Amino acid sequence: VGFAQQLPPIVKYSKENYNAGIQNWMISQDSHQYMYYANNEGLFEWNGLKVILNSSPNETIIRSVKCINDRIYTGAFMEFGYWQRAKNGQLFYTSLSASIKSKINEDEQFWGIFPFDNWILFQSLEKIYAYNTKTNTFTIINPNSTINKAFKTSNGIYFQTSNGLYEIDQGKSKLFLSNEIINQNKLINILDTKNGLILVTQKQGLFYYSNGVLSKFSTNIDAEIQQSNIYSSQL
């Protein structure tokens, strides 16, 4: 009996192949296994056979993309909304931000998209726009401080500013955690565990939060972490 290891075929696509910009900012996959990329030139999709570029609605860089049910939500320069597939197979775009255009700051860009219950949240560095998919209305969260990053866990949505870590509850923000560690260290991720949260910082390693107490989560590579910068993490 002979055994052979089979590797899946790998095809590399350069920017010349897919005729899009040189930078992809975010990736998402839909229920049909199609891949979507937030690109400098727009939204491009890979359906397993070919790459299709969909021009940005306002001809700007698309910064974020998230597939939710049958919609592909995107965030760009002073613009966010969703794409749906027409009967002919092509994607068409619907703007959500157009209805609140006067509320969007000059030069505001949307870096994160987070679904939670019947809300879709669009995060810029200045505000978070919570779109209620049932009522088609918006709640705008304005912390009056730069939003470093937002995070989604199984229990809620959080975002960090220089004043601490906030939680979004029913479309409103409330302070979740504020201390020297959190306020002086950029958070990279928040991970769920069965007993609490693991907070991943960029330069100071991992911390464990449970029952209102924040403590160091020690690892055998703490020394290496403090000599580096963490940019991504996954549980």
Side-chain angles (χ1 to χ4, degrees):
V1 179
F3 295 93
Q5 184 179 22
Q6 293 184 339
L7 297 175
I10 297 175
V11 179
K12 178 181 178 181
Y13 289 87
S14 67
K15 64 182 181 67
E16 288 78 14
N17 294 133
Y18 58 74
N19 295 318
I22 62 173
Q23 288 178 299
N24 296 311
W25 297 95
M26 194 175 290
I27 303 172
S28 189
Q29 186 177 40
D30 70 7
S31 59
H32 301 290
Q33 312 305 312
Y34 288 10
M35 302 297 299
Y36 299 89
Y37 302 80
N39 185 267
N40 281 6
E41 300 295 331
L43 175 71
F44 80 82
E45 59 178 302
W46 162 245
N47 61 15
L49 296 174
K50 59 182 179 178
V51 173
I52 302 171
L53 177 64
N54 301 277
S55 298
S56 172
N58 58 359
E59 298 183 352
T60 63
I61 296 173
I62 291 185
R63 300 293 191 182
S64 54
V65 58
K66 183 68 176 179
C67 297
I68 305 169
N69 298 324
D70 63 340
R71 294 177 176 180
I72 304 107
Y73 290 85
T74 56
F77 176 83
M78 299 184 67
E79 172 66 40
F80 59 82
Y82 62 88
W83 306 72
Q84 284 184 296
R85 199 169 299 280
K87 292 183 178 180
N88 63 4
Q90 293 183 335
L91 292 177
F92 65 94
Y93 181 77
T94 299
S95 175
L96 292 173
S97 57
S99 63
I100 54 168
K101 190 173 182 179
S102 62
K103 306 291 186 181
I104 295 175
N105 292 353
E106 191 70 27
D107 297 333
E108 196 168 1
Q109 303 195 55
F110 295 92
W111 297 91
I113 302 171
F114 306 90
F116 195 78
D117 292 336
N118 58 302
W119 299 87
I120 309 293
L121 285 77
F122 298 88
Q123 175 243 323
S124 73
L125 298 181
E126 292 87 20
K127 304 176 189 176
I128 294 177
Y129 299 76
Y131 172 66
N132 190 313
T133 58
K134 291 185 177 180
T135 62
N136 295 320
T137 57
F138 282 94
T139 298
I140 301 176
I141 298 166
N142 186 358
N144 295 314
S145 182
T146 300
I147 299 172
N148 296 332
K149 197 171 183 179
F151 312 91
K152 180 180 184 296
T153 72
S154 60
N155 295 317
I157 303 288
Y158 303 87
F159 66 91
Q160 184 192 27
T161 75
S162 59
N163 299 320
L165 182 64
Y166 290 79
E167 181 182 18
I168 297 177
D169 184 20
Q170 298 296 316
K172 297 181 180 180
S173 65
K174 62 180 181 180
L175 186 62
F176 179 78
L177 181 61
S178 180
N179 59 34
E180 184 177 351
I181 294 172
I182 297 302
N183 298 356
Q184 296 183 7
N185 290 280
K186 182 178 180 180
L187 290 177
I188 300 302
N189 205 355
I190 299 178
L191 306 171
D192 278 312
T193 73
K194 62 181 180 180
N195 296 318
L197 299 174
I198 294 177
L199 308 183
V200 183
T201 68
Q202 185 177 40
K203 296 183 178 181
Q204 297 299 320
L206 282 63
F207 292 85
Y208 185 65
Y209 181 82
S210 179
N211 298 321
V213 178
L214 185 71
S215 57
K216 188 73 173 70
F217 187 99
S218 298
T219 74
N220 59 358
I221 60 168
D222 281 348
E224 288 85 349
I225 288 176
Q226 292 186 6
Q227 297 297 319
S228 307
N229 289 326
I230 298 175
Y231 287 99
S232 180
S233 65
Q234 186 172 340
L235 186 62

